[in-house]
């Protein structure tokens, strides 16, 4: 049904923004939230999920949440660093050993501490998600860091990413994601990094067929609501939304794992090959300067090492 | 205007009124000069930053961290400084068809309503922007500066719109009208917060109706869009005022959009440097001897010009100044000559570089590189269609003898500097040396060089070119910004879903979807500006097209070509207006004379649609 017809008989409408389409875990996670809320609070809320980045990219989404045009969204933690720099601790390279490690940390004290800081910036975060690990994507196999020397690496425009790849001797260049395929096929860039799901979604295996499973940075995400909206809810309603969000995020993490398997099957069919990194100490060594440089911003070296050794 | 100078109480009062009028005129002139110079300077800084970054990247394997964000912020500043100046130019995007049919009283009333709309938009931008500054938070990681700065400039731009409108009204002696509009705008602005109506229509449709009202009373189109998004709030829209300004500024904050002022600058300097004249001589040497030789020369010149410039408006203006007099001197009827200039100027926005494709890429996330390649083929096809139409419609005896190969070679060599511009753009983007925006900056820098070398352009001449390009870019940027809140309202009401459903009622096959899309685009092209139509309809129509199996790039080409044809049709035909404005041929005569060329372009469009459908 078109949104405006639904809205006529629903109590309170929430605009949820997403970059993705119906089949993506992102949208299915919000459907799950809506389902739980409807079950517990029938007829009180209607979720209007606006898809395909129609309300902008991640930065626009967070601004919309603060200014009240958007009530909820799933975003990466990275975009939140513009408000709470400490969130970058989750973006540090070679910090997490596995998906489980990341999920334990975000569900634990670290995650709660960051959520409290985000709440001060008007983002209410009841639960975290895991978008998967970023992997190195190249035109020919790259197994050790020294093979990156002199290569033009497409990165997100962020000092953290820029520093990491510069530490390996690569030449980091910021290119918008929708221009990246073209830039790689014409030779503006030689390599990049991305999560497995996005790798297949953008058909990047056609231009950077070799994936090295470095899992160097894990892309954590948050399900966040605007404080303006959240504070208008009763305590009971807040409890239901918290529970629903946790269910939605758990659903997301489960879906993402199967999406990654499908993505890699699609990439393999399109000529993609997977390699394991060699000389792991050399990779980790490149990340250490980033840790020390970011330490002050993210709460100190002890906090970083506590996670790494956890 | 019958309402002018109603102040007849006494000579002294009249004298004071005239003094105020003179003061307002002086202030208006001074502020315009100041804003124009500032916008030109910011454009220069932006050009320097982007080109230094290219040199650093390809020469020294490094880059300025934050160059991209800095460029985006500077572009927002250009829009903020230039938009108040665009109000008084041909690029204010006012539709005057309805107005001219009203009586004197009707015209006066509609002028006051139009001013009220502009002032309301200025108030919403100024106050909404100020709220964004307070609420938005966050900082640019790359620049280490608070995000709020970008919005602060835009808020100031809104305030400047208010000041310029009021000064201009007082300067032209319309004090009472100005007072009425100002009071009305303030009352509506502050009253709107107290009211909540439920008109039983989705907010996006309410906004659309208000936009149509604004367009009908000849309000500048971007301000009609802002006023409509603001008035949609008491009518149930879920986008609060600060969010609306935030969405508008974010819509104009794309790195790709920096290419617009750069391409405009190249186009302007191409003419200033006299290199465009050399293109005409080369074109004449190639096709001047054919039947309708001068018409064919116009077409070929425009085709070559379009390879270096990205704005059809610039192309139409260039053709009106340089090619139109030649055509008339050689016996073409003025309306026929103007129609040829207008029709062939659409090539500029189809052949790469093209502002239309840049705008489409920013709003749909299609690859601009692929769109430009699609545009190249479409542009050649459109040129072929116009070639045939010229052969059929122009009966001019060949006025020129066939040029020898020596002359052709000579004129070709002299035209080489212009081709250099095209090469920078095409090679830059296509072969991946630089991104689209960087290619545009390189092209702009190259044309500054051409102007300095060939026309010995110095400070004043270059300032004029930078200033003009900055204001034109601001007008386009303001249109882009203003359309975004409306686009968001449409997205929240899921109008794209409705279009998809409507398409599926027609059978959901590619033929039905293409037909429906072309009809919607042609109707939209009748009334709204091409850029705004791309922003609004691109995201609405593309999902339905992709669902029907059409190639999104080819479909993007169809969107742009169809809307560009709309630039030649009444009631709102921007290209016809530009030609009419410069040549003084009535636009009604041009609209009649352009019919055979529109027919030819529509035939080419049908071929592109057939290709899109058959290649599934
Ligand atoms: Na062009
Ligand atoms: Na039209």
């Amino acid at each position: 049904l078109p949104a405006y017809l639904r809205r006529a008989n629903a109590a309170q409408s929430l605009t949820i923004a997403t970059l993705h389409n119906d089949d993506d875990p992102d949208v299915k996670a919000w459907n799950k939230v809506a389902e739980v809320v409807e079950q517990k609070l029938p007829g009180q809320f209607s979720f209007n999920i606006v898809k395909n980045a129609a309300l902008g990219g991640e930065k626009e989404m967070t601004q919309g949440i603060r200014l009240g045009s958007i009530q909820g969204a799933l975003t990466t933690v990275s975009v939140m660093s513009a408000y709470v720099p400490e969130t970058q601790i989750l973006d540090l390279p070679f910090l997490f050993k596995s998906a489980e490690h990341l999920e334990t940390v975000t569900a634990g004290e670290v995650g709660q501490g960051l959520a409290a800081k985000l709440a001060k910036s008007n983002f209410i975060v009841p639960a975290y998600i895991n978008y998967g690990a970023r992997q190195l994507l190249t035109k020919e196999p790259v197994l050790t860091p020294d093979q990156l020397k002199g290569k033009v690496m497409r990165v997100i425009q962020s000092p953290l990413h820029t520093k990491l790849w510069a530490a390996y001797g690569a030449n980091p260049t910021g290119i918008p994601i929708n221009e990246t395929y073209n830039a790689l096929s014409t030779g503006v860039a030689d390599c990049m990094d991305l999560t497995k799901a996005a790798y297949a979604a953008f058909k990047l295996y056609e231009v950077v067929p070799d994936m090295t499973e470095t899992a160097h940075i894990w892309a954590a995400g948050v399900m966040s609501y605007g404080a303006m909206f959240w504070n208008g809810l009763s305590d009971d309603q807040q409890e239901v939304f918290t529970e629903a969000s946790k269910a939605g995020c758990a659903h997301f993490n489960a879906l993402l794992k199967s999406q990654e398997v499908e993505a890699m099957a699609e990439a393999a069919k399109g000529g993609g090959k997977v390699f394991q990194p060699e000389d792991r100490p050399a990779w980790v060594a490149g990340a250490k300067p980033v840790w020390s440089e970011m330490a002050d911003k993210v709460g100190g070296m002890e906090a970083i090492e506590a996670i790494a050794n956890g | 205007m019958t309402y002018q100078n109603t102040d007849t109480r006494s000579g002294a009062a009249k004298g004071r009124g005239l003094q105020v009028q003179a003061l307002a005129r002086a202030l208006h002139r001074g502020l315009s000069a100041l804003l124009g110079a500032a916008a030109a300077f910011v454009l220069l800084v932006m050009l320097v930053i982007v080109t230094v970054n290219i040199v650093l990247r390809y020469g020294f394997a490094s880059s300025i961290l934050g160059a991209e964000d800095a460029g985006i912020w500077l572009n927002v500043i250009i829009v903020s400084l230039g938009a108040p100046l665009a109000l008084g130019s041909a690029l204010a995007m006012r539709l005057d068809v309805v107005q001219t049919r009203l009586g004197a009283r009707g015209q006066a009333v509609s002028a006051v309503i139009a001013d009220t709309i502009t002032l309301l938009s200025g108030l919403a931008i100024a106050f909404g922007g100020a709220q964004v500054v307070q609420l938005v938070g966050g900082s640019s990681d790359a620049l280490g500066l608070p995000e709020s700065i970008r919005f602060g400039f835009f808020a100031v731009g809104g305030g400047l719109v208010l000041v310029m409108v009021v000064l201009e009204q007082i300067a032209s002696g319309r004090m009472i009208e100005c007072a009425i509009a100002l009071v009305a705008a303030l009352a509506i602005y502050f009253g709107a917060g107290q009211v909540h109506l439920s008109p039983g229509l989705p907010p996006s449709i309410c906004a659309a109706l208000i936009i149509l009202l604004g367009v009908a009373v000849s309000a500048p189109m971007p301000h009609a869009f802002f006023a409509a998004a603001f008035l949609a709030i008491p009518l149930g829209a879920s986008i609060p005022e600060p969010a609306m300004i935030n969405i508008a500024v974010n819509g104009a904050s794309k790195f790709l959009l920096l290419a617009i002022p750069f391409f405009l600058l190249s186009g302007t300097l191409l003419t200033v440097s006299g290199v465009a004249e050399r293109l005409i001589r080369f074109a004449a040497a190639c096709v001047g001897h054919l039947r309708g030789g001068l018409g064919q020369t116009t077409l070929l010149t425009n085709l070559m010009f379009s390879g270096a410039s990205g704005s059809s408006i610039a192309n139409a203006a260039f053709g009106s100044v340089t090619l139109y007099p030649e055509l008339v001197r050689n016996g073409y009827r003025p309306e026929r000559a103007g129609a040829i200039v207008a029709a062939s100027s659409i090539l500029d926005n189809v052949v790469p570089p093209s502002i239309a494709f840049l705008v489409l890429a920013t709003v749909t996330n299609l690859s601009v590189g692929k769109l430009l390649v699609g545009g190249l083929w479409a542009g050649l096809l459109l040129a072929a269609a116009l070639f045939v139409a010229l052969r059929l419609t122009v009966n001019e005896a060949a006025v020129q003898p066939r040029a020898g190969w020596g002359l052709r070679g000579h004129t070709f060599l002299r035209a080489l500097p212009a081709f250099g511009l095209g090469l920078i753009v095409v090679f830059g983007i296509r072969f991946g040396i630089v991104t689209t925006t960087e290619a545009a900056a390189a092209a702009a820098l190259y044309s500054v060089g051409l102007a300095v070398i060939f026309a010995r352009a110095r400070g004043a001449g270059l300032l004029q070119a930078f200033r003009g390009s900055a204001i034109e870019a601001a007008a386009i940027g303001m249109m882009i910004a203003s359309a975004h809140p409306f686009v968001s309202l449409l997205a929240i009401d899921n109008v794209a879903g409705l279009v998809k459903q409507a398409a599926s009622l027609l059978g959901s096959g590619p033929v039905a979807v293409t037909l429906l899309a072309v009809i919607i685009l042609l109707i939209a092209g009748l009334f709204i500006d091409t850029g705004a139509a791309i922003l609004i309809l691109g995201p609405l129509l593309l999902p339905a097209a992709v669902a029907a199996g059409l190639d999104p790039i080819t479909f993007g080409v169809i969107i742009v070509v169809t809307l560009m044809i709309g630039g030649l049709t009444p009631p709102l035909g921007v290209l016809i207006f530009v030609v009419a404005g410069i040549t003084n041929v009535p636009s009604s005569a041009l609209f009649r004379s352009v019919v055979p060329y529109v027919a030819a372009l529509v035939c080419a469009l049908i071929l592109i649609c057939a290709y899109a459908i058959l290649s599934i």
Side-chain angles (χ1 to χ4, degrees), chain A residues 204-283:
Chain A
L204 287 160
Y205 47 79
E206 293 172 5
V207 283
V208 271
D210 297 332
M211 172 185 288
T212 313
E213 286 191 315
T214 44
H216 47 276
I217 290 176
W218 283 84
V222 286
M223 180 170 272
S224 61
Y225 298 88
M228 229 189 293
F229 162 74
W230 192 266
N231 296 337
L233 299 177
S234 70
D235 290 354
D236 290 349
Q237 287 173 330
Q238 287 183 356
E239 210 166 290
V240 170
F241 267 87
T242 304
E243 188 191 329
S245 302
K246 284 185 173 150
C249 288
H251 190 49
F252 180 99
N253 288 348
L255 288 170
L256 188 97
K257 281 181 187 118
S258 47
Q259 193 194 25
E260 286 202 329
V261 173
E262 282 163 32
M264 291 316 289
E266 188 196 323
K269 214 188 277 169
K273 293 188 194 69
V274 178
F275 299 88
Q276 292 309 313
E278 287 169 7
D279 195 5
R280 193 156 184 93
W283 285 104

Side-chain angles (χ1 to χ4, degrees), chain B residues 116-128 155 157-159 161-162 223 226:
Chain B
T116 307
I117 289 174
T118 310
L119 291 169
L120 183 61
S121 157
L123 286 168
I125 295 170
F127 286 111
V161 166
L162 288 173
H223 296 293
F226 273 121

Side-chain angles (χ1 to χ4, degrees), chain A residues 2-4 7 15 48 50 54-55 59-60 63-64 66-69 82-83 157-159 171 173-174 178-179 182 186 188, chain B residues 57 61 68 135-139 141 147 150-151 202-203 238 240 243 246 250 365 367-368 430-432 488 491-493 498:
Chain A
Y4 69 88
R7 187 182 296 153
T15 302
N48 182 15
V50 183
L55 296 181
K59 186 161 105 185
E60 289 79 17
Q63 293 183 350
R66 282 177 65 99
L67 298 171
S69 56
Y83 308 93
Q157 267 225 336
S158 140
N171 177 20
T173 298
N178 54 321
E179 292 298 324
N182 196 35
T186 56
V188 169
Chain B
R57 178 179 316 154
E68 188 173 325
L135 296 171
V136 72
S139 58
D141 205 8
E147 278 283 337
R150 196 160 43 107
F151 302 98
S238 61
N246 171 259
N250 281 338
N365 278 337
S367 158
V368 70
R430 197 50 213 148
F431 299 100
S488 293
I492 290 170
D493 288 338
L498 284 184

Side-chain angles (χ1 to χ4, degrees), chain B residues 52 159 171 247 595:
Chain B
V52 166
I247 290 168
V595 167

Side-chain angles (χ1 to χ4, degrees), chain B residues 522-528 563 565-574 591:
Chain B
L522 283 176
I523 293 172
L526 296 179
F527 300 106
I528 51 177
L563 288 173
I565 293 174
L568 298 171
T569 62
L572 185 71
V574 169
F591 280 130

